[in-house]
Amino acid sequence: MRKIFIAITIFLCAFAVHAQDPHFSQFFASPLTLNPALTGKFDGTLRAAGNYRNQWPAFNNVYTTSTLSVDFSILNKIIPENDTWGVGIIALTDKAAGGVLTNNYIGISTAYHKALNEDGFSQIGIGFQGMYGQKRLDWSKLYFSDQLTPFGFDLTVPSADIATLTNTNISYLDVNAGIIYTVSTSNKNNFYLGASMYHINRPKESFKGGSWNVAARTTISAGGYFPVGDNLTLHTSGIYQIQGKATETTLGGAVAYALNNDERSPTNIYGGLWMRWNDALIPYLGLEFSNMRIGASYDVNISSLKSGSQSRGGMELSLIYIKKPVDGKSVPCPKF
């Protein structure tokens, strides 16, 4: 019965007009799925980021999401000194119900960040992203009521529900855009405010030949970091997202404890907590060393879903590597 329930749930999610995009609790560690304007917006010359999420593990891989991105700056000797032009590539895969429904995306991002003052501590950036998406439904892994026999399910029996599917493999092109403003008062702090919109062109998406379209997703994000002690720095961030009739608000922060005083290659330990409003608490632990930051979080459901999920919302891992500039020159950039 559990497989039947999961199948029905996946079908409802797959066919709903206002379906939600895959998302990460550590949204700050997946910059190109948060805002295309974050492309190239980091303290270095190259950034590689990877994320993995297993949601509702009590149900054995109901939802698993992975992403990998690389972005870097270009034309550094041609554009103005404190400006940055970034280009990036992103790939994302999302599997539901053990692979019954699979979403794959690959895209290219670009963003230009214009310095608003002489030292580059105040900047505004605008970014664009083009994506190719593919959605595949493996109906051979689904059980339907008309395949039920006195001896169990017989998958060799044709199902009338399967016959209504006109296409089990669809693809489309997608367009996303965003804007971000960042400001620092010294090289030890940074604050940002950004907005983005995904699925601007609202691509058509339907397994049954209908006129259903992917709902546009609008995200407002903000955050910053600043020292609160000799070896302590507070990082805060939050997002508000709306897609169709679904909304999400996540707020929180983490404290970084510095284990060394090397500004070019710091070693920090992070501990913090985020909260997704009316849904989950998200404790976070992180370690930064050798220009890498590793993060781990675990959603703890506090909503009415906690009975079904056994209070286990989802485990998530992230990894970010940033290659530092050879000349040692840098400008504070968003980190969380």
Side-chain angles (χ1 to χ4, degrees), residues 228-274:
V228 292
D230 292 339
N231 296 309
L232 297 176
T233 300
L234 178 62
H235 298 260
T236 63
S237 63
I239 60 169
Y240 173 77
Q241 298 189 110
I242 181 169
Q243 185 173 18
K245 296 181 179 180
T247 62
E248 175 187 331
T249 302
T250 304
L251 298 169
V255 174
Y257 178 76
L259 299 178
N260 66 3
N261 294 316
D262 188 347
E263 294 185 0
R264 283 184 50 81
S265 183
T267 299
N268 293 314
I269 297 176
Y270 296 87
L273 180 72
W274 274 258

Side-chain angles (χ1 to χ4, degrees), residues 8-59:
I8 293 172
T9 302
I10 299 304
F11 263 77
L12 290 175
C13 292
F15 296 150
V17 176
H18 301 297
Q20 285 185 275
D21 287 348
H23 70 279
F24 293 100
S25 294
Q26 296 181 49
F27 55 89
F28 45 81
S30 182
L32 300 194
T33 62
L34 176 62
N35 190 338
L38 287 170
T39 307
K41 189 59 178 173
F42 56 91
D43 181 15
T45 58
L46 180 144
R47 173 175 59 186
N51 309 80
Y52 172 79
R53 177 177 177 84
N54 185 354
Q55 186 170 336
W56 296 343
F59 290 103

Side-chain angles (χ1 to χ4, degrees), residues 196-209:
S196 61
M197 179 174 286
Y198 286 72
H199 318 303
I200 294 175
N201 58 322
R202 297 201 62 204
K204 182 178 179 180
E205 181 184 68
S206 175
F207 289 117
K208 303 187 71 173

Side-chain angles (χ1 to χ4, degrees), residues 17-334:
V17 176
H18 301 297
Q20 285 185 275
D21 287 348
H23 70 279
F24 293 100
S25 294
Q26 296 181 49
F27 55 89
F28 45 81
S30 182
L32 300 194
T33 62
L34 176 62
N35 190 338
L38 287 170
T39 307
K41 189 59 178 173
F42 56 91
D43 181 15
T45 58
L46 180 144
R47 173 175 59 186
N51 309 80
Y52 172 79
R53 177 177 177 84
N54 185 354
Q55 186 170 336
W56 296 343
F59 290 103
N60 190 25
N61 295 324
V62 174
Y63 294 102
T64 58
T65 306
S66 303
T67 186
L68 179 65
S69 66
V70 177
D71 57 326
F72 48 89
S73 58
I74 61 173
L75 305 180
N76 296 324
K77 296 182 179 180
I78 297 177
I79 61 178
E81 181 180 7
N82 290 319
D83 290 5
T84 301
W85 188 356
V87 174
I89 301 173
I90 180 173
L92 184 147
T93 182
D94 178 68
K95 295 182 179 181
V100 171
L101 182 65
T102 301
N103 299 278
N104 293 311
Y105 305 90
I106 187 167
I108 298 176
S109 291
T110 186
Y112 192 90
H113 303 274
K114 179 64 181 177
L116 302 179
N117 53 14
E118 293 183 359
D119 57 13
F121 276 21
S122 176
Q123 295 189 351
I124 189 168
I126 185 170
F128 299 92
Q129 188 177 79
M131 299 284 286
Y132 172 79
Q134 184 182 61
K135 185 184 291 286
R136 180 175 61 85
L137 180 65
D138 188 353
W139 55 264
S140 66
K141 296 181 179 180
L142 292 175
Y143 299 167
F144 297 89
S145 59
D146 53 5
Q147 294 176 315
L148 182 62
T149 73
F151 306 101
F153 284 95
D154 185 354
L155 300 184
T156 64
V157 176
S159 171
D161 294 310
I162 295 175
T164 64
L165 300 178
T166 59
N167 189 3
T168 58
N169 196 332
I170 57 178
S171 59
Y172 53 83
L173 295 177
D174 210 353
V175 178
N176 314 313
I179 187 170
I180 189 169
Y181 172 73
T182 61
V183 62
S184 299
T185 60
S186 72
N187 61 0
K188 295 184 180 298
N189 63 46
N190 181 259
F191 306 91
Y192 72 91
L193 175 65
S196 61
M197 179 174 286
Y198 286 72
H199 318 303
I200 294 175
N201 58 322
R202 297 201 62 204
K204 182 178 179 180
E205 181 184 68
S206 175
F207 289 117
K208 303 187 71 173
S211 58
W212 295 342
N213 299 80
V214 181
R217 169 168 60 93
T218 301
T219 301
I220 298 174
S221 58
Y225 67 86
F226 50 90
V228 292
D230 292 339
N231 296 309
L232 297 176
T233 300
L234 178 62
H235 298 260
T236 63
S237 63
I239 60 169
Y240 173 77
Q241 298 189 110
I242 181 169
Q243 185 173 18
K245 296 181 179 180
T247 62
E248 175 187 331
T249 302
T250 304
L251 298 169
V255 174
Y257 178 76
L259 299 178
N260 66 3
N261 294 316
D262 188 347
E263 294 185 0
R264 283 184 50 81
S265 183
T267 299
N268 293 314
I269 297 176
Y270 296 87
L273 180 72
W274 274 258
M275 184 181 74
R276 191 160 51 246
W277 194 255
N278 289 331
D279 184 27
L281 295 175
I282 310 165
Y284 169 84
L285 292 175
L287 177 63
E288 183 176 19
F289 64 97
S290 300
N291 300 330
M292 292 189 296
R293 189 174 81 238
I294 301 171
S297 62
Y298 198 94
D299 294 10
V300 180
N301 281 136
I302 58 175
S303 68
S304 57
L305 289 175
K306 64 183 180 181
S307 298
S309 68
Q310 301 175 21
S311 297
R312 293 182 287 178
M315 178 270 292
E316 198 168 301
L317 300 173
S318 67
L319 172 64
I320 291 182
Y321 167 77
I322 295 178
K323 182 179 179 181
K324 297 295 184 177
V326 177
D327 58 9
K329 183 180 179 180
S330 61
V331 174
C333 293

